[in-house]
Amino acid sequence: MERMDKQDTRVILVAGSGDVSSGFDTLDDLKRVPDGFSGGIWTNRIDRIFAAYTKNEESRCKK
């Protein structure tokens, strides 16, 4: 991530093998996002994960 940040490159994490529509769409999927990951994640179901994802992001920012 540090190397990508230095090149001003955005990193988007997709679930699965990178299929067009593979996203982090459930709360269990979010458990697979590495601690400290500072990029974006792909989701097709923001309605299912928004509250948990933003809560997790807030706790990361306080560290």
Side-chain angles (χ1 to χ4, degrees):
M1 290 299 299
E2 185 178 324
R3 181 173 61 88
M4 299 301 269
D5 285 341
K6 286 180 181 179
Q7 298 300 316
D8 198 27
T9 300
R10 294 181 182 159
V11 176
I12 306 297
L13 191 63
V14 297
S17 62
D19 295 334
V20 173
S21 192
S22 295
F24 291 86
D25 298 334
T26 68
L27 297 178
D28 283 338
D29 290 340
L30 288 179
K31 294 175 185 174
R32 298 182 351 210
V33 177
D35 287 339
F37 180 72
S38 61
I41 64 164
W42 185 268
T43 185
N44 300 300
R45 296 305 308 255
I46 194 67
D47 58 314
R48 292 182 182 171
I49 68 164
F50 178 76
Y53 185 74
T54 55
K55 182 178 179 183
N56 193 26
E57 284 299 298
E58 289 172 6
S59 67
R60 288 180 185 172
C61 291
K62 292 178 183 176
K63 291 182 180 180

